[in-house]
Amino acid sequence: MPARVEGFPLPHRPGRQILKPVLRWAFVAAVLAVVRRYTHQPSLPRMSEQWLLSHQTDFNRNEY
């Protein structure tokens, strides 16, 4: 049985009133994406295996 909706009120909004919130949320999402990208990147490069092995005796540890 097909569904029918009669008298469903939709708010009349001109294009600008709809576009402003959409653009605001798009801007907020872009800013959050940039912040996430920079906070998830390590600030220092990883230590190489060669460096770890060369400093193994300095710290008295066999494994890192």
Side-chain angles (χ1 to χ4, degrees):
M1 176 185 334
R4 288 183 63 192
V5 177
E6 293 182 17
F8 186 70
L10 290 174
H12 176 67
R13 295 180 122 187
R16 287 188 179 179
Q17 286 182 346
I18 293 173
L19 189 60
K20 283 182 183 180
V22 170
L23 290 177
R24 269 191 215 125
W25 282 111
F27 178 74
V28 169
V31 168
L32 289 176
V34 169
V35 168
R36 257 183 110 191
R37 185 181 337 142
Y38 283 117
T39 57
H40 284 129
Q41 288 179 350
S43 57
L44 295 173
R46 290 185 148 188
M47 291 181 262
S48 67
E49 188 68 30
Q50 180 183 6
W51 186 91
L52 290 173
L53 290 174
S54 68
H55 289 78
Q56 186 174 12
T57 57
D58 296 341
F59 298 108
N60 284 333
R61 294 189 180 167
N62 293 332
E63 295 180 11
Y64 281 92

